[in-house]
Amino acid sequence: MTETSPTLRLWFMDWHGWMLDHDPLKDAPTRTPFQPGRLPGLCALVPAAFQFPCRPFMEKRVSMPRAFPEMEMQELPHNRVAFFLPRHETYLISVPFGSGLVDYYSPSQKEWETFLPLTLEMLRGLSLLVTPAALKLEDDTGEELPTPALHEQMTLRFGERNLPLFLNTDALTRIGQIMPGTSASIELTWQIDAAPSPVIVHHQTAPTPAPETL
């Protein structure tokens, strides 16, 4: 019997706060708004203990025949990545204009060629954060934080405060693991090079829209 190495599934948020996805009608990568509880139709399979750079296997939820070009996932600062195409020496880019475009042939790596890998647990945590009444967050002064909204630069906006998701991947994982009816102290990092600050996260007991996919 042949043993297989454990793998990790990753989904990807673009610079604009949208998700990499798959359009089954065109059999091509696309971008869609983040929807709480919904898994995008495109993910990457990598070894559980992978190192950068690595060659991900791109998996479509709806199986279609068109193959993906060979891509190399490269490490960027603060938990972010870029997808490099060695054959063309170009980068994957997610363009927000019009109906949006995901293209393989950007000549350089800048903001729009930057992506945030998210595990299933991180997606659960993010889904809970943006779902009204699913959680109650209290900062260290006892003030309750409003339900956040996703914005560009991979940030959550809590009223006047912006939380970079790429600085809080561990926090997303921990939030996704809080059981309904329980609370946990979670540290959030609001700025690069700033010390994290604690918040108390209460997972409400009322049913929350956590669909079967998550």
Side-chain angles (χ1 to χ4, degrees), residues 116-202:
L116 175 64
L118 296 166
T119 64
L120 183 64
E121 291 78 13
M122 294 175 196
L123 287 172
R124 284 196 186 107
L126 182 57
S127 292
L128 288 169
L129 280 167
V130 300
T131 299
L135 303 175
K136 183 171 77 170
L137 276 68
E138 296 176 329
D139 65 17
D140 52 2
T141 68
E143 181 180 351
E144 185 174 340
L145 302 181
T147 300
L150 266 169
H151 283 261
E152 63 179 12
Q153 301 184 34
M154 307 168 180
T155 60
L156 281 180
R157 184 168 296 170
F158 292 83
E160 299 299 318
R161 303 180 71 183
N162 290 330
L163 183 77
L165 292 175
F166 51 85
L167 299 180
N168 291 278
T169 52
D170 288 344
L172 288 177
T173 298
R174 290 199 59 202
I175 290 170
Q177 295 170 342
I178 300 173
M179 298 299 293
T182 65
S183 303
S185 178
I186 305 289
E187 291 192 332
L188 298 180
T189 302
W190 295 90
Q191 293 180 339
I192 294 174
D193 297 329
S197 57
V199 297
I200 303 299
V201 181
H202 308 274

Coordinates of all heavy atoms in Angstrom, one line a residue, residues 116-202:
L116 N -3.5 36.5 -0.8 CA -3.5 36.0 0.6 C -4.0 34.6 0.7 O -5.2 34.4 0.4 CB -4.3 36.9 1.5 CG -4.4 36.5 3.0 CD1 -3.1 36.5 3.7 CD2 -5.4 37.4 3.7
P117 N -3.2 33.6 1.0 CA -3.7 32.2 1.1 C -4.5 32.1 2.4 O -4.1 32.6 3.5 CB -2.4 31.4 1.3 CG -1.2 32.3 1.0 CD -1.7 33.7 1.2
L118 N -5.6 31.4 2.3 CA -6.5 31.2 3.4 C -6.9 29.7 3.5 O -7.3 29.1 2.5 CB -7.8 32.0 3.2 CG -7.7 33.5 3.2 CD1 -8.9 34.2 2.7 CD2 -7.3 34.0 4.6
T119 N -6.7 29.1 4.7 CA -7.1 27.8 4.9 C -8.6 27.7 5.2 O -9.3 28.7 5.4 CB -6.4 27.2 6.1 OG1 -6.8 27.9 7.3 CG2 -4.9 27.3 6.0
L120 N -9.1 26.5 5.3 CA -10.6 26.3 5.6 C -10.9 27.0 6.9 O -11.9 27.6 7.1 CB -10.9 24.9 5.6 CG -12.4 24.5 5.8 CD1 -13.3 25.1 4.7 CD2 -12.6 23.0 5.9
E121 N -10.0 26.8 7.9 CA -10.3 27.4 9.3 C -10.3 28.9 9.2 O -11.1 29.5 9.9 CB -9.2 26.8 10.3 CG -9.3 25.4 10.6 CD -8.7 24.5 9.5 OE1 -8.0 25.0 8.6 OE2 -9.0 23.3 9.5
M122 N -9.4 29.5 8.4 CA -9.3 30.9 8.3 C -10.6 31.4 7.6 O -11.2 32.5 8.0 CB -8.1 31.4 7.5 CG -6.8 31.1 8.2 SD -5.4 31.5 7.0 CE -4.1 30.7 7.9
L123 N -11.1 30.7 6.6 CA -12.3 31.1 6.0 C -13.5 31.0 6.9 O -14.4 31.9 6.9 CB -12.6 30.2 4.7 CG -11.7 30.5 3.5 CD1 -11.9 29.4 2.5 CD2 -11.9 31.9 2.9
R124 N -13.5 30.0 7.8 CA -14.6 30.0 8.8 C -14.5 31.2 9.7 O -15.6 31.8 10.0 CB -14.4 28.7 9.7 CG -14.8 27.4 9.0 CD -15.0 26.3 10.0 NE -15.3 25.0 9.4 CZ -14.4 24.0 9.4 NH1 -13.2 24.2 9.9 NH2 -14.7 22.9 8.8
G125 N -13.3 31.5 10.2 CA -13.2 32.7 11.0 C -13.6 34.0 10.4 O -14.3 34.8 10.9
L126 N -13.2 34.2 9.1 CA -13.6 35.4 8.4 C -15.1 35.4 8.1 O -15.7 36.5 8.2 CB -12.8 35.4 7.0 CG -13.1 36.6 6.1 CD1 -12.8 37.9 6.9 CD2 -12.3 36.5 4.9
S127 N -15.7 34.3 7.8 CA -17.2 34.2 7.6 C -17.9 34.6 8.9 O -18.9 35.4 8.8 CB -17.6 32.8 7.2 OG -17.1 32.5 5.9
L128 N -17.4 34.2 10.0 CA -18.1 34.6 11.3 C -17.9 36.1 11.5 O -18.9 36.7 12.0 CB -17.5 33.8 12.4 CG -17.9 32.3 12.5 CD1 -17.0 31.6 13.5 CD2 -19.3 32.1 12.9
L129 N -16.8 36.6 11.3 CA -16.5 38.0 11.5 C -17.4 38.9 10.8 O -17.9 39.9 11.3 CB -15.0 38.3 11.2 CG -14.0 38.0 12.3 CD1 -12.6 38.1 11.7 CD2 -14.2 38.9 13.5
V130 N -17.7 38.6 9.5 CA -18.5 39.5 8.7 C -20.0 39.2 8.7 O -20.8 39.9 8.0 CB -18.0 39.5 7.2 CG1 -16.5 39.9 7.1 CG2 -18.1 38.1 6.5
T131 N -20.4 38.2 9.4 CA -21.8 37.8 9.5 C -22.4 38.5 10.7 O -22.0 38.3 11.9 CB -22.0 36.3 9.7 OG1 -21.4 35.6 8.5 CG2 -23.5 35.9 9.8
P132 N -23.4 39.4 10.5 CA -24.0 40.2 11.6 C -24.5 39.2 12.7 O -25.2 38.2 12.4 CB -25.1 41.0 11.0 CG -24.6 41.1 9.5 CD -23.9 39.9 9.2
A133 N -24.3 39.5 13.9 CA -24.8 38.8 15.1 C -24.2 37.4 15.3 O -24.6 36.7 16.2 CB -26.3 38.7 15.0
A134 N -23.2 37.1 14.5 CA -22.6 35.8 14.7 C -21.6 35.8 15.9 O -21.5 34.9 16.7 CB -21.9 35.3 13.5
L135 N -20.9 37.0 16.0 CA -19.9 37.2 17.0 C -20.2 38.5 17.7 O -20.8 39.4 17.2 CB -18.5 37.2 16.5 CG -18.0 36.0 15.6 CD1 -16.6 36.3 15.1 CD2 -17.9 34.8 16.5
K136 N -19.6 38.6 19.0 CA -19.5 39.9 19.6 C -18.1 40.1 20.0 O -17.5 39.2 20.7 CB -20.4 40.0 20.8 CG -20.4 41.4 21.5 CD -21.5 41.5 22.6 CE -21.1 40.8 23.9 NZ -22.0 41.1 25.0
L137 N -17.5 41.2 19.6 CA -16.1 41.5 19.9 C -16.0 42.7 20.8 O -16.6 43.7 20.6 CB -15.3 41.8 18.6 CG -14.7 40.6 17.8 CD1 -15.9 39.8 17.2 CD2 -13.8 41.0 16.7
E138 N -15.2 42.5 21.9 CA -15.0 43.6 22.9 C -13.5 43.8 23.0 O -12.7 42.9 23.2 CB -15.6 43.2 24.2 CG -17.1 43.0 24.2 CD -17.6 42.6 25.6 OE1 -16.8 41.9 26.3 OE2 -18.7 42.9 26.0
D139 N -13.1 45.1 22.8 CA -11.7 45.4 23.0 C -11.3 45.5 24.4 O -12.1 45.3 25.3 CB -11.3 46.7 22.2 CG -12.0 48.0 22.7 OD1 -12.5 47.9 23.9 OD2 -12.0 49.0 22.0
D140 N -10.0 45.9 24.7 CA -9.5 45.9 26.0 C -10.1 47.0 26.9 O -9.9 47.0 28.1 CB -8.0 46.0 26.1 CG -7.4 47.1 25.2 OD1 -8.3 47.9 24.7 OD2 -6.2 47.2 25.2
T141 N -10.9 47.9 26.3 CA -11.6 48.9 27.1 C -13.1 48.5 27.4 O -13.8 49.2 28.0 CB -11.6 50.3 26.4 OG1 -12.4 50.2 25.2 CG2 -10.2 50.7 26.1
G142 N -13.5 47.4 26.9 CA -14.8 46.9 27.0 C -15.8 47.4 25.9 O -17.0 47.1 25.9
E143 N -15.2 48.2 25.0 CA -16.1 48.7 23.9 C -16.3 47.6 22.9 O -15.4 46.8 22.5 CB -15.4 49.9 23.2 CG -16.2 50.5 22.1 CD -15.5 51.6 21.4 OE1 -14.4 52.1 21.9 OE2 -16.0 52.1 20.3
E144 N -17.6 47.5 22.4 CA -18.0 46.5 21.4 C -17.6 47.0 20.0 O -18.0 48.1 19.7 CB -19.5 46.2 21.5 CG -19.9 45.0 20.6 CD -21.3 44.6 20.9 OE1 -21.9 44.9 22.0 OE2 -21.9 44.0 20.0
L145 N -17.0 46.2 19.3 CA -16.6 46.5 17.9 C -17.8 46.2 16.9 O -18.5 45.2 17.1 CB -15.4 45.7 17.4 CG -14.1 45.9 18.3 CD1 -13.0 45.1 17.7 CD2 -13.7 47.4 18.4
P146 N -18.0 47.1 15.9 CA -19.1 46.8 15.0 C -18.7 45.7 14.1 O -17.6 45.3 13.9 CB -19.2 48.1 14.2 CG -17.8 48.7 14.3 CD -17.3 48.3 15.6
T147 N -19.8 45.1 13.4 CA -19.5 44.1 12.4 C -18.7 44.7 11.3 O -19.1 45.7 10.7 CB -20.8 43.5 11.8 OG1 -21.6 43.0 12.9 CG2 -20.6 42.4 10.8
P148 N -17.6 44.1 10.9 CA -16.7 44.7 9.9 C -17.2 44.4 8.5 O -18.0 43.5 8.2 CB -15.4 44.0 10.2 CG -15.7 42.7 10.6 CD -17.0 42.8 11.5
A149 N -16.6 45.2 7.5 CA -16.8 44.9 6.1 C -15.5 44.8 5.5 O -14.5 45.4 5.9 CB -17.6 46.1 5.5
L150 N -15.4 44.0 4.4 CA -14.2 43.7 3.7 C -13.9 44.9 2.7 O -14.8 45.4 2.1 CB -14.3 42.5 2.8 CG -13.7 41.2 3.4 CD1 -14.1 40.0 2.6 CD2 -12.2 41.2 3.6
H151 N -12.6 45.3 2.7 CA -12.2 46.4 1.8 C -10.9 46.0 1.1 O -10.3 45.0 1.4 CB -12.0 47.7 2.6 CG -13.3 48.4 3.0 ND1 -13.8 49.5 2.3 CD2 -14.1 48.1 4.0 CE1 -14.9 49.8 2.9 NE2 -15.2 49.0 3.9
E152 N -10.5 46.9 0.2 CA -9.3 46.6 -0.6 C -8.1 46.6 0.4 O -8.2 47.0 1.5 CB -9.1 47.6 -1.7 CG -8.9 49.0 -1.2 CD -8.7 50.0 -2.3 OE1 -8.9 49.6 -3.5 OE2 -8.3 51.1 -2.1
Q153 N -7.0 46.1 -0.2 CA -5.8 45.9 0.6 C -5.9 44.8 1.6 O -5.2 44.7 2.6 CB -5.2 47.1 1.2 CG -5.0 48.2 0.2 CD -4.4 49.5 0.8 OE1 -3.6 49.4 1.8 NE2 -4.7 50.6 0.3
M154 N -6.9 43.9 1.4 CA -7.1 42.7 2.2 C -7.3 43.1 3.7 O -6.7 42.6 4.6 CB -5.9 41.8 2.2 CG -5.4 41.4 0.8 SD -3.8 40.6 0.8 CE -3.6 40.2 -1.0
T155 N -8.2 44.1 3.9 CA -8.5 44.6 5.2 C -10.0 44.4 5.6 O -10.8 44.4 4.7 CB -8.1 46.1 5.3 OG1 -8.9 46.8 4.4 CG2 -6.6 46.3 5.1
L156 N -10.2 44.3 6.9 CA -11.5 44.4 7.5 C -11.7 45.8 8.1 O -10.8 46.2 8.9 CB -11.8 43.3 8.5 CG -12.1 41.9 8.1 CD1 -12.2 41.0 9.3 CD2 -13.3 41.9 7.2
R157 N -12.8 46.5 7.8 CA -13.0 47.8 8.4 C -14.0 47.7 9.5 O -15.2 47.4 9.3 CB -13.4 48.8 7.3 CG -13.6 50.2 7.8 CD -13.7 51.2 6.7 NE -12.5 51.2 5.9 CZ -12.4 51.8 4.7 NH1 -13.5 52.5 4.2 NH2 -11.3 51.8 4.0
F158 N -13.5 48.0 10.7 CA -14.4 48.0 11.9 C -14.7 49.5 12.2 O -13.9 50.2 12.9 CB -13.7 47.4 13.1 CG -13.5 45.9 13.1 CD1 -12.4 45.4 12.4 CD2 -14.4 45.1 13.7 CE1 -12.2 44.0 12.4 CE2 -14.2 43.7 13.7 CZ -13.1 43.2 13.0
G159 N -15.7 50.1 11.6 CA -16.0 51.5 11.8 C -14.8 52.3 11.2 O -14.6 52.3 10.0
E160 N -14.0 53.0 12.0 CA -12.9 53.8 11.5 C -11.6 53.1 11.6 O -10.6 53.6 11.2 CB -12.8 55.1 12.4 CG -14.0 56.0 12.3 CD -14.3 56.5 10.9 OE1 -13.4 56.8 10.2 OE2 -15.5 56.5 10.5
R161 N -11.6 51.8 12.0 CA -10.4 51.1 12.2 C -10.2 50.0 11.1 O -11.2 49.3 10.8 CB -10.3 50.4 13.6 CG -10.4 51.4 14.7 CD -10.3 50.7 16.1 NE -9.0 50.2 16.4 CZ -8.7 49.5 17.4 NH1 -9.6 49.2 18.3 NH2 -7.5 49.1 17.7
N162 N -9.0 49.9 10.5 CA -8.8 48.9 9.5 C -7.9 47.8 10.1 O -6.9 48.0 10.7 CB -8.1 49.5 8.3 CG -9.0 50.4 7.5 OD1 -10.2 50.2 7.5 ND2 -8.5 51.4 6.9
L163 N -8.3 46.5 9.9 CA -7.6 45.4 10.3 C -7.0 44.6 9.1 O -7.8 44.0 8.4 CB -8.5 44.4 11.1 CG -7.8 43.2 11.7 CD1 -7.0 43.6 13.0 CD2 -8.8 42.1 12.1
P164 N -5.7 44.6 8.9 CA -5.1 43.9 7.8 C -5.2 42.4 8.1 O -4.7 41.9 9.1 CB -3.6 44.3 7.8 CG -3.6 45.6 8.6 CD -4.6 45.4 9.7
L165 N -5.9 41.7 7.2 CA -6.0 40.2 7.4 C -4.7 39.5 7.3 O -4.5 38.5 8.0 CB -7.0 39.7 6.3 CG -8.5 40.1 6.4 CD1 -9.3 39.6 5.2 CD2 -9.1 39.7 7.7
F166 N -3.8 40.0 6.5 CA -2.5 39.3 6.3 C -1.6 39.4 7.6 O -0.7 38.6 7.7 CB -1.7 39.9 5.1 CG -1.6 41.4 5.1 CD1 -0.6 42.0 5.8 CD2 -2.5 42.1 4.4 CE1 -0.4 43.4 5.8 CE2 -2.3 43.5 4.3 CZ -1.3 44.1 5.0
L167 N -2.0 40.3 8.5 CA -1.3 40.3 9.8 C -2.0 39.4 10.9 O -1.5 39.3 12.0 CB -1.2 41.7 10.3 CG -0.4 42.7 9.5 CD1 -0.4 44.1 10.2 CD2 1.0 42.2 9.2
N168 N -3.1 38.8 10.5 CA -4.0 38.2 11.5 C -4.5 36.8 11.1 O -5.6 36.4 11.4 CB -5.2 39.1 11.8 CG -4.8 40.4 12.6 OD1 -4.6 40.4 13.8 ND2 -4.6 41.4 11.8
T169 N -3.6 36.1 10.4 CA -4.0 34.8 9.9 C -4.2 33.8 11.1 O -5.1 33.0 11.1 CB -3.0 34.2 8.9 OG1 -1.7 34.3 9.5 CG2 -3.0 35.0 7.6
D170 N -3.3 33.9 12.1 CA -3.5 33.0 13.2 C -4.8 33.3 14.0 O -5.5 32.5 14.5 CB -2.3 33.1 14.2 CG -1.1 32.5 13.6 OD1 -1.2 31.7 12.7 OD2 0.0 32.8 14.1
A171 N -5.1 34.6 14.1 CA -6.3 35.1 14.7 C -7.6 34.5 14.0 O -8.5 34.1 14.6 CB -6.4 36.6 14.9
L172 N -7.6 34.6 12.7 CA -8.7 34.1 11.9 C -8.9 32.6 12.2 O -10.0 32.1 12.4 CB -8.4 34.2 10.4 CG -8.5 35.7 9.8 CD1 -8.2 35.6 8.3 CD2 -9.9 36.2 10.1
T173 N -7.8 31.8 12.3 CA -7.9 30.4 12.6 C -8.5 30.2 13.9 O -9.4 29.3 14.1 CB -6.5 29.8 12.5 OG1 -6.0 29.9 11.2 CG2 -6.5 28.3 12.9
R174 N -8.0 30.9 14.9 CA -8.6 30.7 16.3 C -10.0 31.1 16.4 O -10.8 30.5 17.1 CB -7.7 31.6 17.3 CG -6.3 31.0 17.5 CD -5.7 31.6 18.8 NE -6.5 31.2 19.9 CZ -6.5 31.9 21.1 NH1 -5.8 33.0 21.2 NH2 -7.3 31.5 22.1
I175 N -10.4 32.2 15.7 CA -11.8 32.6 15.7 C -12.7 31.5 15.1 O -13.8 31.2 15.6 CB -12.0 34.0 15.0 CG1 -11.4 35.1 15.8 CG2 -13.5 34.3 14.7 CD1 -11.2 36.4 15.1
G176 N -12.2 30.9 14.0 CA -13.0 29.9 13.4 C -13.1 28.6 14.2 O -14.0 27.8 14.0
Q177 N -12.3 28.5 15.3 CA -12.4 27.3 16.2 C -13.2 27.5 17.4 O -13.4 26.6 18.2 CB -10.9 26.9 16.5 CG -10.1 26.4 15.4 CD -8.6 26.3 15.7 OE1 -8.1 26.8 16.7 NE2 -7.9 25.5 14.9
I178 N -13.7 28.8 17.7 CA -14.5 29.1 18.9 C -15.8 28.4 18.7 O -16.6 28.7 17.7 CB -14.6 30.6 19.1 CG1 -13.2 31.2 19.2 CG2 -15.4 30.9 20.3 CD1 -13.3 32.7 19.3
M179 N -16.2 27.6 19.7 CA -17.5 26.9 19.6 C -18.6 27.9 20.0 O -18.5 28.8 20.8 CB -17.5 25.7 20.6 CG -16.4 24.7 20.3 SD -16.7 24.0 18.6 CE -18.2 23.1 18.9
P180 N -19.8 27.7 19.4 CA -21.0 28.5 19.7 C -21.3 28.5 21.2 O -21.2 27.4 21.9 CB -22.1 27.9 19.0 CG -21.5 27.2 17.8 CD -20.2 26.7 18.3
G181 N -21.5 29.7 21.8 CA -21.8 29.8 23.2 C -20.6 29.9 24.1 O -20.7 30.0 25.3
T182 N -19.4 30.0 23.5 CA -18.2 30.2 24.2 C -17.5 31.4 23.8 O -17.8 32.0 22.8 CB -17.3 28.9 24.1 OG1 -16.8 28.9 22.7 CG2 -18.0 27.7 24.4
S183 N -16.4 31.8 24.6 CA -15.7 33.0 24.3 C -14.2 32.7 24.4 O -13.8 31.7 24.9 CB -16.0 34.1 25.3 OG -17.4 34.4 25.3
A184 N -13.4 33.6 23.7 CA -11.9 33.4 23.8 C -11.3 34.8 23.7 O -11.8 35.7 23.0 CB -11.5 32.5 22.7
S185 N -10.1 34.9 24.3 CA -9.3 36.1 24.1 C -8.4 35.9 22.9 O -7.6 35.0 22.8 CB -8.5 36.4 25.4 OG -7.7 37.5 25.2
I186 N -8.5 36.8 21.9 CA -7.8 36.8 20.7 C -7.0 38.0 20.5 O -7.5 39.1 20.8 CB -8.7 36.6 19.5 CG1 -9.6 35.4 19.6 CG2 -7.9 36.5 18.2 CD1 -9.0 34.1 19.5
E187 N -5.7 37.9 20.1 CA -4.9 39.1 19.9 C -5.0 39.5 18.4 O -4.8 38.7 17.5 CB -3.4 38.8 20.3 CG -3.3 38.7 21.8 CD -1.8 38.7 22.2 OE1 -1.0 38.3 21.3 OE2 -1.5 39.1 23.3
L188 N -5.3 40.8 18.2 CA -5.4 41.3 16.8 C -4.2 42.3 16.6 O -3.9 43.1 17.5 CB -6.7 42.0 16.6 CG -8.0 41.1 16.7 CD1 -9.2 42.0 16.4 CD2 -7.9 39.9 15.7
T189 N -3.7 42.3 15.4 CA -2.6 43.2 15.0 C -3.1 44.2 14.0 O -3.5 43.8 12.9 CB -1.4 42.5 14.5 OG1 -0.9 41.5 15.4 CG2 -0.3 43.4 14.1
W190 N -3.2 45.5 14.4 CA -3.9 46.5 13.6 C -2.9 47.2 12.6 O -3.4 47.7 11.6 CB -4.5 47.5 14.5 CG -5.6 47.0 15.4 CD1 -5.5 46.4 16.6 CD2 -7.0 46.8 15.0 NE1 -6.7 46.0 17.1 CE2 -7.7 46.2 16.1 CE3 -7.7 47.2 13.9 CZ2 -9.0 46.0 16.1 CZ3 -9.1 46.9 13.9 CH2 -9.7 46.3 14.9
Q191 N -1.6 47.1 12.9 CA -0.7 47.8 12.0 C 0.6 47.0 11.9 O 1.0 46.3 12.9 CB -0.4 49.2 12.5 CG -1.5 50.2 12.4 CD -1.1 51.6 12.9 OE1 -0.1 51.7 13.6 NE2 -1.9 52.6 12.5
I192 N 1.3 47.1 10.8 CA 2.6 46.5 10.7 C 3.6 47.0 11.8 O 3.6 48.3 12.0 CB 3.2 46.7 9.3 CG1 2.4 46.0 8.3 CG2 4.7 46.2 9.2 CD1 2.8 46.2 6.8
D193 N 4.3 46.2 12.4 CA 5.3 46.5 13.5 C 4.6 47.0 14.8 O 5.3 47.5 15.7 CB 6.3 47.6 13.0 CG 7.1 47.1 11.8 OD1 7.4 45.9 11.8 OD2 7.5 47.9 11.0
A194 N 3.3 47.0 14.9 CA 2.6 47.3 16.1 C 2.4 46.1 17.0 O 2.2 45.0 16.4 CB 1.3 48.0 15.8
A195 N 2.4 46.3 18.3 CA 2.1 45.2 19.2 C 0.6 44.8 19.1 O -0.2 45.6 18.9 CB 2.4 45.6 20.6
P196 N 0.3 43.5 19.1 CA -1.1 43.1 19.1 C -1.8 43.5 20.3 O -1.2 43.7 21.4 CB -1.0 41.5 19.0 CG 0.3 41.2 19.6 CD 1.3 42.3 19.3
S197 N -3.1 43.7 20.2 CA -4.0 44.1 21.3 C -5.1 43.0 21.5 O -5.6 42.5 20.5 CB -4.6 45.4 21.1 OG -5.3 45.5 19.9
P198 N -5.5 42.7 22.7 CA -6.4 41.6 22.9 C -7.9 42.1 22.7 O -8.2 43.2 22.9 CB -6.2 41.3 24.4 CG -5.7 42.5 25.0 CD -4.9 43.2 24.0
V199 N -8.7 41.2 22.2 CA -10.1 41.4 22.1 C -10.8 40.1 22.7 O -10.2 39.0 22.5 CB -10.7 41.7 20.7 CG1 -10.1 43.0 20.2 CG2 -10.4 40.5 19.8
I200 N -11.9 40.2 23.3 CA -12.7 39.1 23.7 C -13.7 38.8 22.6 O -14.5 39.7 22.2 CB -13.4 39.3 25.0 CG1 -12.4 39.7 26.1 CG2 -14.2 38.1 25.4 CD1 -11.4 38.6 26.4
V201 N -13.7 37.6 22.1 CA -14.6 37.2 21.0 C -15.6 36.2 21.6 O -15.3 35.1 22.1 CB -13.8 36.5 19.9 CG1 -14.8 36.1 18.7 CG2 -12.7 37.4 19.3
H202 N -16.9 36.6 21.5 CA -18.0 35.8 22.0 C -18.7 35.2 20.7 O -19.2 35.9 19.9 CB -19.0 36.6 22.8 CG -18.4 37.4 23.9 ND1 -18.2 36.8 25.1 CD2 -18.0 38.7 23.9 CE1 -17.7 37.8 25.9 NE2 -17.5 38.9 25.2

